[in-house]
Amino acid sequence: MDSLLMNLMIIIVLGIASQWIAWRFRLPAIVVMSIAGLLIGPIFGLLSPKEDFGDMFKPIISMAVAIILFEGSLNLDFREVRGLGRPVTRIVTFGAFLAWLLGSLAAYYVAGLSWASAFVIGGLFIVTGPTVILPLLRQSKLKPRPAAILKWEGIIADPFGALLSVFAFEIIRFLLSDSETGNSLVGFFLASLFAIVFGWFIGRGTGWIFEKGHVPEYLKSPVVFAIVLACFAICDGIYHETGLLAVTAMGMTLANMHISSIEDMRNFKENISVLLISTIFVMLTASLTMKTLVEIFNWKIVLFVLLMLFIVRPLSIWISTIGTDLSVKEKALVSWIAPRGIVALTVSSYFANALLDAGFKDAKILTSLTFALVFATVCAHGFSMKWLAQKLDLAIGDEPGVLIVGGSSFSTGFARIIHEDLDVPVMIADSSWQRLNSARSAGIPFYHGEVLAEHTEYHLDMTPYEFMLAASELDSYNALVCTTFVPEIGRNNLFQLSLRTAKSGDIDDLGHTIGGRILFRKGITWEELNLKVEKGYVFRKTNITEKYSFEKYLSEREEGSILLCIHRASKRLEFFTADHEIRGEAGDIVISLGPPCKEKTKIQEKLDEKKKKSKEE
């Protein structure tokens, strides 16, 4: 027991450490997790999860996949694909069928599989899945259209790919066995239909009991967690692999009911999903054998993988999207990105055993074939997705942007200097046209609408903005905005203006979990900042060099100036806050708001020079 506990701890720690390393060094997380699993598993032989966990190995993997798939489908709100319904539908139907057919032909003619094994594994290889697509989308910062297409395809194709393999397997059993009747095929279709209806019914029922208040807030996430597992287990028990279809239907149903507590559930499920993806990927790769790793270098397998990458996927996307409004660049990106993940690895092992039992000896290479495709696509697409998206102008720039909530003269001036002088993406959001007047006049990008409204996420693309500054005149509103966006942006990147203690009552005494970090320094309120701007205070940028150090700058700056932020040489933006002291270094640029002393001196010098010239003339 102690050994099993230790092994589980090692797997979880390695998985999360891999996620952190990927974030820290901007690497594809799936690649790092796979390498970690290979190192502790087949390469050094430290762990063998399949043997360590025994009979619990497959149920753990299956339940984890169900939760991950449900979490992904919980994000499939139909409002997100307005204008994209046709290409998404074509890709997950006609495109999936083409990928199945072409992949099966490649498996038969190139990998040397029998027709039976080829059509089973060809159906499985149409899946991409949320386990790999969602982390890559998070890191690559694609524009909304291609990101939505890849996300919807990945989540919808996941259960259908598994079901397509089951369907092919049942057809083969029916054709090759004298004892089989059409009842097995009818049973398969009825089980699939039941899974969809059951998932929809469970989703509607869950949403109804939540909306009617039959479940307290603190139990909602655990209740959903339990219901998802029950929904998956019941359908999967009736017919293998239909459980994935059921949880996908359940998640999509809940996502489109627009219930008030959906966001809390989504955040909880996302956290659980990250933990499960990290753990499961390490477990699966650590469970491989050296024989499997050596086998993937077989020339037939290598050639098959290359065909899947460069022929099958591009052809299926380009043909299926003929007549849609996708641009050539969008088609090029989508046709390249198709990483396979957990579902392909887990389901292929099931079919390898099932086909071997049915007498298909060639099925013994299915695990090697699947891992070769998974690892090749994860590496190729993980490392190239961001680069290709940037080349095709389908990605947001690397420069972390700033979203300022609250229009004012200060917001406009601050946005202008970081946008025009530092080339940082910036946007000012406000529900009032009047408060946006100065931003509109200055040519600063703006969003007219309430950032807290639900529909905002479908009209305002938040991808470019890593920082949010709540800079309205209402302390309570600023605190609410920061608290609301903690899951999306992160507490360290949320800022609000200093509280007006004379008017805010007990707001200072609120817990640290409410609101954002206080900008600049305490006492620098909305009124004071805007008053200074109206009095002629100037936004300045100052270059810190080896000769002109940050300390020298501090000693020489004008009295009454306010330090706003530092633009690091690495392009990173850091804000001065009341709770954290930052210091500039050579190569950094300091942005400040100060009295117009220098500007007045320069103007006076120019006037004196003109007078002198006129006298000489």
Side-chain angles (χ1 to χ4, degrees), residues 130-248:
T131 59
V132 282
I133 278 294
L134 296 183
L136 288 182
L137 291 177
R138 208 175 290 126
Q139 290 177 331
S140 301
K141 293 187 175 181
L142 296 189
K143 289 183 177 178
R145 278 174 60 90
I149 292 170
L150 289 170
K151 183 174 80 172
W152 276 74
E153 182 206 3
I155 294 169
I156 293 175
D158 229 30
F160 283 112
L163 286 174
L164 205 54
S165 296
V166 176
F167 171 69
F169 184 68
E170 291 296 338
I171 288 285
I172 290 161
R173 285 207 311 175
F174 172 70
L175 294 175
L176 298 181
S177 176
D178 295 332
S179 60
E180 289 288 338
T181 66
N183 292 337
S184 61
L185 289 179
V186 173
F188 165 73
F189 286 115
L190 288 177
S192 300
L193 181 62
F194 171 78
I196 295 172
V197 175
F198 187 70
W200 173 85
F201 177 77
I202 294 295
R204 295 293 299 184
T206 304
W208 181 81
I209 63 173
F210 282 6
E211 283 294 86
K212 295 299 181 181
H214 296 306
V215 178
E217 285 296 325
Y218 76 95
L219 275 181
K220 283 184 177 179
S221 291
V223 164
V224 171
F225 192 85
I227 291 175
V228 169
L229 292 180
C231 180
F232 170 77
I234 290 170
C235 291
D236 216 57
I238 294 173
Y239 209 104
H240 196 60
E241 300 305 332
T242 58
L244 297 179
L245 191 61
V247 295
T248 303

Side-chain angles (χ1 to χ4, degrees), residues 36-80:
L38 291 175
L39 289 175
I40 65 169
I43 294 178
F44 292 113
L46 301 177
L47 293 177
S48 180
K50 189 175 288 187
E51 295 178 5
D52 295 337
F53 289 91
D55 293 339
M56 289 297 295
F57 181 79
K58 287 185 178 179
I60 289 173
I61 300 291
S62 297
M63 288 191 295
V65 171
I67 293 166
I68 293 166
L69 197 56
F70 171 76
E71 188 273 327
S73 61
L74 204 60
N75 293 302
L76 296 183
D77 193 317
F78 290 123
R79 292 175 296 185
E80 184 182 345

